[in-house]
Amino acid sequence: MKQLSPAEELLKELGITTAGDIDIDAIAYHVGAYIKYRPLDGCDGRIIGADDRAVISVNNRIIPTRMRFTAGHELGHWRHHRGRSFICRAEDIGNPLKGPLDPERVADNYAADLLMPRYLFEPLANETGKTNFKTVDQLRKEFQTSITATAIRLVEYGPESAMLVCHTMGGRKWFYRPKHIPDKWFPRNDLDAESYAIDVLYGKMERSRRVLMGADAWFDRWDAKKYEVFEESCATLNNEILTFIVFKDIEMLELE
Amino acid sequence: MSKDQKNMREKLERLSNSLADEIDAMTDEEFQSELEEAGEDITDIASRTRTLISNAMENIGHKKLIAARAGYEHHKSAGHDNILQWSHKRKQKLINQFSQDDNYFEQKLTMAARNEGDSEFDIDSIIEDLIELGIIDDKGNIK
């Protein structure tokens, strides 16, 4: 049996066996934190704790999936950084650019585990058989999560070996590569002219189809020309696009 | 429940307790051979027992979740709108006093304030939370 994370242990303790049971307000209340949805100007989320009780504030002017993730993020602080109070701005929450030990990243990981626990997410993801945005749509409806958070999770626990790259007009913003993909596959900063991701970035289409592309369109490595990958892009909020790069050749996953 | 029924239930409980004690006292080998003699499939029994325990744990957990939901709803309906009728500056001073013990919080508070122009609403809501958590009283005294 796979080891459960602290968030998953909490879900098990509360007998949660379906995505629909993940009642974030009740879960928070069970661990002594009361969630208030209120307008906040300087941040998206905040937690103030004293002894074994805390009040979590979530900005109610953000989209519902973001509110849910923010609540999970603050609960992450409550689990891992008890005794301290946190004010979390938009860029602190759901930001893959933060280092793994950064308290905000730790809280993000907790939120992902709480809202999309592996023991519920993996079987549903594997049923679909594909790491693509159609699967993301199905799963985010189930788990009430954002496109970005669900896509990251799908790359982590999905049925295919893939990585997720985020681009803006300024180039690559961040990327998420699961542990089993060798780090020699480092995505290029700029988009290749042949890639359909460009059309999505420039607003010609909301989403591109999943197509085969030469791996050298995505990776600036001498041997990239030998391989092909599937690419599929999707526009998200804030003028960003997400692209799944799915590894078709098993050889690409071999370490040097 | 009639007296007879009660007596019967007590007898059954005593019987099941004594059976459980007997099983507890057996070694694994004795237990295994007894089951084999009775023609039982040990793997099947183990699997059924695991399911039984896991279902029982889920049920208990689910009751905790329902209780937490009820607690949350009750808390929400109680309302906790304690706002001090103080000047903005005085409220800010109070929050600074509170945050100076926590460098990280103080830094984020300053950043949040700088970011959005020191919202009075945010300050009021922090004070409301501090009162709710009993960190300060409703007159603004740090406890």
Side-chain angles (χ1 to χ4, degrees), chain A residues 13-14 23 26 34 36 38-39 41-42 46 48 53 86-87 89 92 104, chain B residues 61 68-69 76 104 108-109 111 116 119 121-122 125-126 128-129 132-133:
Chain A
E13 186 193 322
L14 292 171
D23 177 342
Y34 177 67
K36 286 183 177 180
R38 53 176 30 149
D41 291 326
R46 185 179 72 211
I48 295 178
R53 284 172 63 225
F86 283 85
I87 286 182
R89 293 166 301 146
D92 292 326
E104 303 301 347
Chain B
R69 180 80 231 176
K76 201 160 91 172
Y104 190 83
K108 285 302 192 75
L109 196 65
M111 271 155 60
E116 293 293 336
S119 151
F121 186 86
D122 282 8
S125 67
I126 292 176
E128 189 187 308
D129 294 350
E132 190 174 331
L133 290 166

PDB file of all heavy atoms in Angstrom, chain A residues 13-14 23 26 34 36 38-39 41-42 46 48 53 86-87 89 92 104, chain B residues 61 68-69 76 104 108-109 111 116 119 121-122 125-126 128-129 132-133:
ATOM      1  N   GLU A  13      -9.305   9.542   7.945  1.00  0.00           N
ATOM      2  CA  GLU A  13      -9.840   9.620   9.310  1.00  0.00           C
ATOM      3  C   GLU A  13     -11.308  10.045   9.287  1.00  0.00           C
ATOM      4  O   GLU A  13     -12.094   9.665  10.149  1.00  0.00           O
ATOM      5  CB  GLU A  13      -8.996  10.649  10.098  1.00  0.00           C
ATOM      6  CG  GLU A  13      -9.322  10.734  11.564  1.00  0.00           C
ATOM      7  CD  GLU A  13      -8.707  11.961  12.215  1.00  0.00           C
ATOM      8  OE1 GLU A  13      -7.565  12.323  11.860  1.00  0.00           O
ATOM      9  OE2 GLU A  13      -9.374  12.568  13.068  1.00  0.00           O
ATOM     10  N   LEU A  14     -11.675  10.837   8.274  1.00  0.00           N
ATOM     11  CA  LEU A  14     -13.047  11.321   8.178  1.00  0.00           C
ATOM     12  C   LEU A  14     -13.903  10.446   7.248  1.00  0.00           C
ATOM     13  O   LEU A  14     -14.978  10.862   6.829  1.00  0.00           O
ATOM     14  CB  LEU A  14     -13.043  12.779   7.700  1.00  0.00           C
ATOM     15  CG  LEU A  14     -12.470  13.766   8.725  1.00  0.00           C
ATOM     16  CD1 LEU A  14     -12.287  15.138   8.125  1.00  0.00           C
ATOM     17  CD2 LEU A  14     -13.361  13.839   9.959  1.00  0.00           C
ATOM     18  N   ASP A  23     -15.486  17.951   1.879  1.00  0.00           N
ATOM     19  CA  ASP A  23     -16.159  19.168   2.349  1.00  0.00           C
ATOM     20  C   ASP A  23     -15.113  19.980   3.125  1.00  0.00           C
ATOM     21  O   ASP A  23     -14.840  19.727   4.292  1.00  0.00           O
ATOM     22  CB  ASP A  23     -17.330  18.727   3.249  1.00  0.00           C
ATOM     23  CG  ASP A  23     -18.081  19.879   3.864  1.00  0.00           C
ATOM     24  OD1 ASP A  23     -17.546  21.001   3.901  1.00  0.00           O
ATOM     25  OD2 ASP A  23     -19.207  19.640   4.333  1.00  0.00           O
ATOM     26  N   ALA A  26     -15.982  21.601   6.565  1.00  0.00           N
ATOM     27  CA  ALA A  26     -16.132  20.625   7.655  1.00  0.00           C
ATOM     28  C   ALA A  26     -14.775  20.036   8.045  1.00  0.00           C
ATOM     29  O   ALA A  26     -14.481  19.853   9.226  1.00  0.00           O
ATOM     30  CB  ALA A  26     -17.089  19.517   7.237  1.00  0.00           C
ATOM     31  N   TYR A  34     -11.646  27.515  11.539  1.00  0.00           N
ATOM     32  CA  TYR A  34     -12.944  27.953  11.017  1.00  0.00           C
ATOM     33  C   TYR A  34     -12.702  28.813   9.777  1.00  0.00           C
ATOM     34  O   TYR A  34     -11.925  29.765   9.816  1.00  0.00           O
ATOM     35  CB  TYR A  34     -13.670  28.752  12.112  1.00  0.00           C
ATOM     36  CG  TYR A  34     -14.984  29.308  11.653  1.00  0.00           C
ATOM     37  CD1 TYR A  34     -16.047  28.470  11.351  1.00  0.00           C
ATOM     38  CD2 TYR A  34     -15.158  30.681  11.486  1.00  0.00           C
ATOM     39  CE1 TYR A  34     -17.254  28.977  10.909  1.00  0.00           C
ATOM     40  CE2 TYR A  34     -16.363  31.199  11.039  1.00  0.00           C
ATOM     41  CZ  TYR A  34     -17.409  30.342  10.756  1.00  0.00           C
ATOM     42  OH  TYR A  34     -18.595  30.843  10.292  1.00  0.00           O
ATOM     43  N   LYS A  36     -13.696  31.493   6.994  1.00  0.00           N
ATOM     44  CA  LYS A  36     -14.601  32.610   6.698  1.00  0.00           C
ATOM     45  C   LYS A  36     -14.357  33.061   5.274  1.00  0.00           C
ATOM     46  O   LYS A  36     -13.204  33.297   4.890  1.00  0.00           O
ATOM     47  CB  LYS A  36     -14.297  33.795   7.622  1.00  0.00           C
ATOM     48  CG  LYS A  36     -14.751  33.610   9.044  1.00  0.00           C
ATOM     49  CD  LYS A  36     -14.462  34.875   9.837  1.00  0.00           C
ATOM     50  CE  LYS A  36     -14.979  34.724  11.264  1.00  0.00           C
ATOM     51  NZ  LYS A  36     -14.724  35.931  12.065  1.00  0.00           N
ATOM     52  N   ARG A  38     -14.745  36.044   2.923  1.00  0.00           N
ATOM     53  CA  ARG A  38     -14.984  37.478   3.070  1.00  0.00           C
ATOM     54  C   ARG A  38     -14.132  38.241   2.047  1.00  0.00           C
ATOM     55  O   ARG A  38     -13.126  37.701   1.560  1.00  0.00           O
ATOM     56  CB  ARG A  38     -14.621  37.915   4.492  1.00  0.00           C
ATOM     57  CG  ARG A  38     -13.223  37.481   4.847  1.00  0.00           C
ATOM     58  CD  ARG A  38     -12.605  37.885   6.178  1.00  0.00           C
ATOM     59  NE  ARG A  38     -13.305  38.114   7.360  1.00  0.00           N
ATOM     60  CZ  ARG A  38     -12.811  37.878   8.582  1.00  0.00           C
ATOM     61  NH1 ARG A  38     -11.607  37.315   8.715  1.00  0.00           N
ATOM     62  NH2 ARG A  38     -13.478  38.174   9.649  1.00  0.00           N
ATOM     63  N   PRO A  39     -14.494  39.480   1.731  1.00  0.00           N
ATOM     64  CA  PRO A  39     -13.649  40.235   0.794  1.00  0.00           C
ATOM     65  C   PRO A  39     -12.311  40.568   1.460  1.00  0.00           C
ATOM     66  O   PRO A  39     -12.289  40.970   2.620  1.00  0.00           O
ATOM     67  CB  PRO A  39     -14.448  41.514   0.538  1.00  0.00           C
ATOM     68  CG  PRO A  39     -15.757  41.327   1.187  1.00  0.00           C
ATOM     69  CD  PRO A  39     -15.635  40.250   2.212  1.00  0.00           C
ATOM     70  N   ASP A  41      -8.557  42.592   0.608  1.00  0.00           N
ATOM     71  CA  ASP A  41      -7.911  43.465  -0.389  1.00  0.00           C
ATOM     72  C   ASP A  41      -6.441  43.118  -0.608  1.00  0.00           C
ATOM     73  O   ASP A  41      -5.956  43.108  -1.726  1.00  0.00           O
ATOM     74  CB  ASP A  41      -8.015  44.931   0.056  1.00  0.00           C
ATOM     75  CG  ASP A  41      -9.452  45.411  -0.015  1.00  0.00           C
ATOM     76  OD1 ASP A  41     -10.168  44.960  -0.923  1.00  0.00           O
ATOM     77  OD2 ASP A  41      -9.856  46.219   0.849  1.00  0.00           O
ATOM     78  N   GLY A  42      -5.720  42.815   0.479  1.00  0.00           N
ATOM     79  CA  GLY A  42      -4.271  42.664   0.359  1.00  0.00           C
ATOM     80  C   GLY A  42      -3.793  41.245   0.103  1.00  0.00           C
ATOM     81  O   GLY A  42      -2.597  41.005  -0.058  1.00  0.00           O
ATOM     82  N   ARG A  46      -5.667  33.968   4.415  1.00  0.00           N
ATOM     83  CA  ARG A  46      -4.959  34.356   5.639  1.00  0.00           C
ATOM     84  C   ARG A  46      -5.322  33.368   6.726  1.00  0.00           C
ATOM     85  O   ARG A  46      -6.440  32.840   6.745  1.00  0.00           O
ATOM     86  CB  ARG A  46      -5.443  35.756   6.031  1.00  0.00           C
ATOM     87  CG  ARG A  46      -4.727  36.362   7.213  1.00  0.00           C
ATOM     88  CD  ARG A  46      -5.273  37.744   7.498  1.00  0.00           C
ATOM     89  NE  ARG A  46      -6.603  37.686   8.058  1.00  0.00           N
ATOM     90  CZ  ARG A  46      -7.531  38.630   7.873  1.00  0.00           C
ATOM     91  NH1 ARG A  46      -7.285  39.690   7.153  1.00  0.00           N
ATOM     92  NH2 ARG A  46      -8.709  38.498   8.447  1.00  0.00           N
ATOM     93  N   ILE A  48      -4.952  32.992  10.999  1.00  0.00           N
ATOM     94  CA  ILE A  48      -4.486  33.481  12.293  1.00  0.00           C
ATOM     95  C   ILE A  48      -4.834  32.395  13.296  1.00  0.00           C
ATOM     96  O   ILE A  48      -5.997  31.979  13.393  1.00  0.00           O
ATOM     97  CB  ILE A  48      -5.162  34.826  12.652  1.00  0.00           C
ATOM     98  CG1 ILE A  48      -4.723  35.890  11.639  1.00  0.00           C
ATOM     99  CG2 ILE A  48      -4.789  35.253  14.073  1.00  0.00           C
ATOM    100  CD1 ILE A  48      -5.345  37.243  11.826  1.00  0.00           C
ATOM    101  N   ARG A  53      -6.744  26.566  17.951  1.00  0.00           N
ATOM    102  CA  ARG A  53      -7.823  27.108  17.119  1.00  0.00           C
ATOM    103  C   ARG A  53      -7.273  28.120  16.125  1.00  0.00           C
ATOM    104  O   ARG A  53      -6.283  28.803  16.404  1.00  0.00           O
ATOM    105  CB  ARG A  53      -8.872  27.790  17.998  1.00  0.00           C
ATOM    106  CG  ARG A  53      -9.772  26.800  18.738  1.00  0.00           C
ATOM    107  CD  ARG A  53     -10.653  27.519  19.737  1.00  0.00           C
ATOM    108  NE  ARG A  53     -11.556  28.453  19.070  1.00  0.00           N
ATOM    109  CZ  ARG A  53     -11.778  29.702  19.490  1.00  0.00           C
ATOM    110  NH1 ARG A  53     -11.146  30.170  20.548  1.00  0.00           N
ATOM    111  NH2 ARG A  53     -12.630  30.479  18.852  1.00  0.00           N
ATOM    112  N   PHE A  86      -0.212  33.498   8.815  1.00  0.00           N
ATOM    113  CA  PHE A  86       0.193  33.709   7.422  1.00  0.00           C
ATOM    114  C   PHE A  86      -0.782  34.607   6.688  1.00  0.00           C
ATOM    115  O   PHE A  86      -1.996  34.489   6.875  1.00  0.00           O
ATOM    116  CB  PHE A  86       0.264  32.362   6.676  1.00  0.00           C
ATOM    117  CG  PHE A  86       1.490  31.571   7.007  1.00  0.00           C
ATOM    118  CD1 PHE A  86       1.507  30.751   8.122  1.00  0.00           C
ATOM    119  CD2 PHE A  86       2.636  31.658   6.235  1.00  0.00           C
ATOM    120  CE1 PHE A  86       2.645  30.029   8.462  1.00  0.00           C
ATOM    121  CE2 PHE A  86       3.761  30.933   6.565  1.00  0.00           C
ATOM    122  CZ  PHE A  86       3.776  30.114   7.682  1.00  0.00           C
ATOM    123  N   ILE A  87      -0.201  35.475   5.863  1.00  0.00           N
ATOM    124  CA  ILE A  87      -1.001  36.252   4.921  1.00  0.00           C
ATOM    125  C   ILE A  87      -0.518  35.811   3.547  1.00  0.00           C
ATOM    126  O   ILE A  87       0.670  35.925   3.240  1.00  0.00           O
ATOM    127  CB  ILE A  87      -0.763  37.764   5.132  1.00  0.00           C
ATOM    128  CG1 ILE A  87      -1.478  38.214   6.407  1.00  0.00           C
ATOM    129  CG2 ILE A  87      -1.240  38.565   3.938  1.00  0.00           C
ATOM    130  CD1 ILE A  87      -1.369  39.683   6.693  1.00  0.00           C
ATOM    131  N   ARG A  89      -0.635  36.066  -0.453  1.00  0.00           N
ATOM    132  CA  ARG A  89      -1.072  36.820  -1.628  1.00  0.00           C
ATOM    133  C   ARG A  89      -1.295  35.850  -2.789  1.00  0.00           C
ATOM    134  O   ARG A  89      -0.877  34.692  -2.730  1.00  0.00           O
ATOM    135  CB  ARG A  89      -0.010  37.865  -1.978  1.00  0.00           C
ATOM    136  CG  ARG A  89       0.100  38.953  -0.907  1.00  0.00           C
ATOM    137  CD  ARG A  89       1.337  39.780  -1.055  1.00  0.00           C
ATOM    138  NE  ARG A  89       2.516  38.940  -0.971  1.00  0.00           N
ATOM    139  CZ  ARG A  89       3.627  39.162  -1.642  1.00  0.00           C
ATOM    140  NH1 ARG A  89       3.724  40.192  -2.439  1.00  0.00           N
ATOM    141  NH2 ARG A  89       4.661  38.347  -1.518  1.00  0.00           N
ATOM    142  N   ASP A  92       1.462  33.711  -3.871  1.00  0.00           N
ATOM    143  CA  ASP A  92       1.973  32.715  -2.914  1.00  0.00           C
ATOM    144  C   ASP A  92       1.239  31.381  -3.043  1.00  0.00           C
ATOM    145  O   ASP A  92       1.712  30.350  -2.571  1.00  0.00           O
ATOM    146  CB  ASP A  92       1.764  33.209  -1.468  1.00  0.00           C
ATOM    147  CG  ASP A  92       2.633  34.406  -1.141  1.00  0.00           C
ATOM    148  OD1 ASP A  92       3.755  34.474  -1.667  1.00  0.00           O
ATOM    149  OD2 ASP A  92       2.176  35.270  -0.375  1.00  0.00           O
ATOM    150  N   GLU A 104       5.166  28.230   1.449  1.00  0.00           N
ATOM    151  CA  GLU A 104       4.004  28.365   0.553  1.00  0.00           C
ATOM    152  C   GLU A 104       3.859  27.129  -0.344  1.00  0.00           C
ATOM    153  O   GLU A 104       2.760  26.694  -0.650  1.00  0.00           O
ATOM    154  CB  GLU A 104       4.119  29.630  -0.312  1.00  0.00           C
ATOM    155  CG  GLU A 104       4.263  30.924   0.478  1.00  0.00           C
ATOM    156  CD  GLU A 104       3.084  31.194   1.430  1.00  0.00           C
ATOM    157  OE1 GLU A 104       2.053  30.527   1.326  1.00  0.00           O
ATOM    158  OE2 GLU A 104       3.249  32.068   2.312  1.00  0.00           O
TER     159      GLU A 104
ATOM    160  N   GLY B  61     -15.567   7.457  10.668  1.00  0.00           N
ATOM    161  CA  GLY B  61     -15.012   8.680  10.076  1.00  0.00           C
ATOM    162  C   GLY B  61     -16.105   9.553   9.499  1.00  0.00           C
ATOM    163  O   GLY B  61     -16.111  10.773   9.698  1.00  0.00           O
ATOM    164  N   ALA B  68     -18.637  17.496  12.151  1.00  0.00           N
ATOM    165  CA  ALA B  68     -17.851  18.696  11.846  1.00  0.00           C
ATOM    166  C   ALA B  68     -18.671  19.663  11.001  1.00  0.00           C
ATOM    167  O   ALA B  68     -18.636  20.871  11.208  1.00  0.00           O
ATOM    168  CB  ALA B  68     -16.564  18.313  11.117  1.00  0.00           C
ATOM    169  N   ARG B  69     -19.438  19.135  10.044  1.00  0.00           N
ATOM    170  CA  ARG B  69     -20.289  19.997   9.198  1.00  0.00           C
ATOM    171  C   ARG B  69     -21.308  20.726  10.076  1.00  0.00           C
ATOM    172  O   ARG B  69     -21.533  21.922   9.939  1.00  0.00           O
ATOM    173  CB  ARG B  69     -20.988  19.143   8.138  1.00  0.00           C
ATOM    174  CG  ARG B  69     -21.889  19.891   7.212  1.00  0.00           C
ATOM    175  CD  ARG B  69     -21.083  20.589   6.124  1.00  0.00           C
ATOM    176  NE  ARG B  69     -21.434  21.977   6.016  1.00  0.00           N
ATOM    177  CZ  ARG B  69     -20.850  22.850   5.211  1.00  0.00           C
ATOM    178  NH1 ARG B  69     -19.837  22.499   4.448  1.00  0.00           N
ATOM    179  NH2 ARG B  69     -21.225  24.085   5.171  1.00  0.00           N
ATOM    180  N   LYS B  76     -21.170  29.242  12.161  1.00  0.00           N
ATOM    181  CA  LYS B  76     -21.479  30.269  11.166  1.00  0.00           C
ATOM    182  C   LYS B  76     -22.732  31.059  11.573  1.00  0.00           C
ATOM    183  O   LYS B  76     -22.761  32.281  11.465  1.00  0.00           O
ATOM    184  CB  LYS B  76     -21.716  29.595   9.804  1.00  0.00           C
ATOM    185  CG  LYS B  76     -21.553  30.534   8.632  1.00  0.00           C
ATOM    186  CD  LYS B  76     -21.312  29.765   7.362  1.00  0.00           C
ATOM    187  CE  LYS B  76     -22.603  29.446   6.661  1.00  0.00           C
ATOM    188  NZ  LYS B  76     -22.413  28.868   5.334  1.00  0.00           N
ATOM    189  N   TYR B 104       7.871  36.585  10.092  1.00  0.00           N
ATOM    190  CA  TYR B 104       7.335  36.223   8.783  1.00  0.00           C
ATOM    191  C   TYR B 104       5.982  36.895   8.574  1.00  0.00           C
ATOM    192  O   TYR B 104       5.706  37.471   7.538  1.00  0.00           O
ATOM    193  CB  TYR B 104       7.195  34.700   8.699  1.00  0.00           C
ATOM    194  CG  TYR B 104       6.888  34.186   7.320  1.00  0.00           C
ATOM    195  CD1 TYR B 104       7.908  33.985   6.395  1.00  0.00           C
ATOM    196  CD2 TYR B 104       5.585  33.913   6.926  1.00  0.00           C
ATOM    197  CE1 TYR B 104       7.632  33.513   5.122  1.00  0.00           C
ATOM    198  CE2 TYR B 104       5.297  33.453   5.668  1.00  0.00           C
ATOM    199  CZ  TYR B 104       6.328  33.243   4.765  1.00  0.00           C
ATOM    200  OH  TYR B 104       6.049  32.787   3.504  1.00  0.00           O
ATOM    201  N   LYS B 108       4.905  39.782   5.823  1.00  0.00           N
ATOM    202  CA  LYS B 108       3.798  39.589   4.883  1.00  0.00           C
ATOM    203  C   LYS B 108       2.723  40.655   5.071  1.00  0.00           C
ATOM    204  O   LYS B 108       2.122  41.128   4.096  1.00  0.00           O
ATOM    205  CB  LYS B 108       3.165  38.205   5.069  1.00  0.00           C
ATOM    206  CG  LYS B 108       3.976  37.076   4.508  1.00  0.00           C
ATOM    207  CD  LYS B 108       4.217  37.297   3.030  1.00  0.00           C
ATOM    208  CE  LYS B 108       4.762  36.092   2.320  1.00  0.00           C
ATOM    209  NZ  LYS B 108       3.788  35.062   2.080  1.00  0.00           N
ATOM    210  N   LEU B 109       2.500  41.040   6.323  1.00  0.00           N
ATOM    211  CA  LEU B 109       1.503  42.064   6.630  1.00  0.00           C
ATOM    212  C   LEU B 109       1.910  43.380   5.971  1.00  0.00           C
ATOM    213  O   LEU B 109       1.113  44.064   5.340  1.00  0.00           O
ATOM    214  CB  LEU B 109       1.424  42.221   8.151  1.00  0.00           C
ATOM    215  CG  LEU B 109       0.227  42.946   8.727  1.00  0.00           C
ATOM    216  CD1 LEU B 109      -1.035  42.156   8.439  1.00  0.00           C
ATOM    217  CD2 LEU B 109       0.389  43.106  10.225  1.00  0.00           C
ATOM    218  N   MET B 111       3.922  43.688   3.427  1.00  0.00           N
ATOM    219  CA  MET B 111       3.838  43.528   1.972  1.00  0.00           C
ATOM    220  C   MET B 111       2.393  43.641   1.492  1.00  0.00           C
ATOM    221  O   MET B 111       2.108  44.294   0.493  1.00  0.00           O
ATOM    222  CB  MET B 111       4.408  42.174   1.563  1.00  0.00           C
ATOM    223  CG  MET B 111       5.900  42.234   1.300  1.00  0.00           C
ATOM    224  SD  MET B 111       6.716  40.648   1.518  1.00  0.00           S
ATOM    225  CE  MET B 111       5.916  39.655   0.356  1.00  0.00           C
ATOM    226  N   GLU B 116      -1.775  46.753  -1.489  1.00  0.00           N
ATOM    227  CA  GLU B 116      -3.143  47.176  -1.781  1.00  0.00           C
ATOM    228  C   GLU B 116      -3.570  48.437  -1.042  1.00  0.00           C
ATOM    229  O   GLU B 116      -4.752  48.755  -0.990  1.00  0.00           O
ATOM    230  CB  GLU B 116      -4.104  46.030  -1.422  1.00  0.00           C
ATOM    231  CG  GLU B 116      -3.961  44.804  -2.298  1.00  0.00           C
ATOM    232  CD  GLU B 116      -4.391  45.044  -3.741  1.00  0.00           C
ATOM    233  OE1 GLU B 116      -5.192  45.963  -3.988  1.00  0.00           O
ATOM    234  OE2 GLU B 116      -3.900  44.311  -4.619  1.00  0.00           O
ATOM    235  N   SER B 119      -5.798  48.332   3.464  1.00  0.00           N
ATOM    236  CA  SER B 119      -7.262  48.321   3.509  1.00  0.00           C
ATOM    237  C   SER B 119      -7.789  48.303   4.939  1.00  0.00           C
ATOM    238  O   SER B 119      -7.384  47.485   5.752  1.00  0.00           O
ATOM    239  CB  SER B 119      -7.746  47.082   2.760  1.00  0.00           C
ATOM    240  OG  SER B 119      -8.969  46.653   3.278  1.00  0.00           O
ATOM    241  N   PHE B 121     -10.719  47.474   5.705  1.00  0.00           N
ATOM    242  CA  PHE B 121     -11.536  46.264   5.856  1.00  0.00           C
ATOM    243  C   PHE B 121     -10.668  45.095   6.317  1.00  0.00           C
ATOM    244  O   PHE B 121     -11.051  44.332   7.206  1.00  0.00           O
ATOM    245  CB  PHE B 121     -12.238  45.925   4.540  1.00  0.00           C
ATOM    246  CG  PHE B 121     -13.177  44.780   4.703  1.00  0.00           C
ATOM    247  CD1 PHE B 121     -14.476  44.987   5.137  1.00  0.00           C
ATOM    248  CD2 PHE B 121     -12.753  43.476   4.491  1.00  0.00           C
ATOM    249  CE1 PHE B 121     -15.344  43.915   5.333  1.00  0.00           C
ATOM    250  CE2 PHE B 121     -13.609  42.402   4.687  1.00  0.00           C
ATOM    251  CZ  PHE B 121     -14.909  42.627   5.112  1.00  0.00           C
ATOM    252  N   ASP B 122      -9.479  44.969   5.706  1.00  0.00           N
ATOM    253  CA  ASP B 122      -8.581  43.865   6.089  1.00  0.00           C
ATOM    254  C   ASP B 122      -8.182  43.985   7.556  1.00  0.00           C
ATOM    255  O   ASP B 122      -8.125  42.993   8.291  1.00  0.00           O
ATOM    256  CB  ASP B 122      -7.330  43.857   5.204  1.00  0.00           C
ATOM    257  CG  ASP B 122      -7.613  43.250   3.824  1.00  0.00           C
ATOM    258  OD1 ASP B 122      -8.788  42.988   3.534  1.00  0.00           O
ATOM    259  OD2 ASP B 122      -6.661  43.069   3.044  1.00  0.00           O
ATOM    260  N   SER B 125     -10.980  42.999   9.768  1.00  0.00           N
ATOM    261  CA  SER B 125     -11.225  41.548   9.800  1.00  0.00           C
ATOM    262  C   SER B 125     -10.145  40.831  10.611  1.00  0.00           C
ATOM    263  O   SER B 125     -10.427  39.823  11.256  1.00  0.00           O
ATOM    264  CB  SER B 125     -11.359  40.975   8.387  1.00  0.00           C
ATOM    265  OG  SER B 125     -10.147  41.042   7.690  1.00  0.00           O
ATOM    266  N   ILE B 126      -8.911  41.343  10.586  1.00  0.00           N
ATOM    267  CA  ILE B 126      -7.858  40.719  11.429  1.00  0.00           C
ATOM    268  C   ILE B 126      -8.227  40.909  12.903  1.00  0.00           C
ATOM    269  O   ILE B 126      -8.149  39.968  13.709  1.00  0.00           O
ATOM    270  CB  ILE B 126      -6.462  41.331  11.135  1.00  0.00           C
ATOM    271  CG1 ILE B 126      -5.994  40.949   9.724  1.00  0.00           C
ATOM    272  CG2 ILE B 126      -5.434  40.859  12.166  1.00  0.00           C
ATOM    273  CD1 ILE B 126      -4.665  41.575   9.304  1.00  0.00           C
ATOM    274  N   GLU B 128     -11.140  41.325  14.156  1.00  0.00           N
ATOM    275  CA  GLU B 128     -12.290  40.450  14.433  1.00  0.00           C
ATOM    276  C   GLU B 128     -11.805  39.024  14.760  1.00  0.00           C
ATOM    277  O   GLU B 128     -12.269  38.396  15.714  1.00  0.00           O
ATOM    278  CB  GLU B 128     -13.181  40.429  13.196  1.00  0.00           C
ATOM    279  CG  GLU B 128     -14.509  39.748  13.390  1.00  0.00           C
ATOM    280  CD  GLU B 128     -15.242  39.641  12.055  1.00  0.00           C
ATOM    281  OE1 GLU B 128     -15.380  40.668  11.362  1.00  0.00           O
ATOM    282  OE2 GLU B 128     -15.654  38.533  11.700  1.00  0.00           O
ATOM    283  N   ASP B 129     -10.836  38.545  13.952  1.00  0.00           N
ATOM    284  CA  ASP B 129     -10.316  37.184  14.169  1.00  0.00           C
ATOM    285  C   ASP B 129      -9.551  37.098  15.494  1.00  0.00           C
ATOM    286  O   ASP B 129      -9.654  36.094  16.209  1.00  0.00           O
ATOM    287  CB  ASP B 129      -9.373  36.774  13.030  1.00  0.00           C
ATOM    288  CG  ASP B 129     -10.107  36.648  11.701  1.00  0.00           C
ATOM    289  OD1 ASP B 129     -11.353  36.701  11.712  1.00  0.00           O
ATOM    290  OD2 ASP B 129      -9.434  36.528  10.662  1.00  0.00           O
ATOM    291  N   GLU B 132     -12.044  36.880  18.183  1.00  0.00           N
ATOM    292  CA  GLU B 132     -12.709  35.564  18.151  1.00  0.00           C
ATOM    293  C   GLU B 132     -11.823  34.473  18.745  1.00  0.00           C
ATOM    294  O   GLU B 132     -12.297  33.561  19.415  1.00  0.00           O
ATOM    295  CB  GLU B 132     -13.072  35.226  16.706  1.00  0.00           C
ATOM    296  CG  GLU B 132     -13.973  34.023  16.614  1.00  0.00           C
ATOM    297  CD  GLU B 132     -14.460  33.775  15.189  1.00  0.00           C
ATOM    298  OE1 GLU B 132     -14.577  34.742  14.407  1.00  0.00           O
ATOM    299  OE2 GLU B 132     -14.707  32.605  14.878  1.00  0.00           O
ATOM    300  N   LEU B 133     -10.515  34.605  18.511  1.00  0.00           N
ATOM    301  CA  LEU B 133      -9.588  33.583  19.011  1.00  0.00           C
ATOM    302  C   LEU B 133      -9.154  33.856  20.454  1.00  0.00           C
ATOM    303  O   LEU B 133      -8.398  33.082  21.030  1.00  0.00           O
ATOM    304  CB  LEU B 133      -8.349  33.515  18.111  1.00  0.00           C
ATOM    305  CG  LEU B 133      -8.583  32.931  16.720  1.00  0.00           C
ATOM    306  CD1 LEU B 133      -7.399  33.218  15.818  1.00  0.00           C
ATOM    307  CD2 LEU B 133      -8.835  31.425  16.807  1.00  0.00           C
TER     308      LEU B 133
END
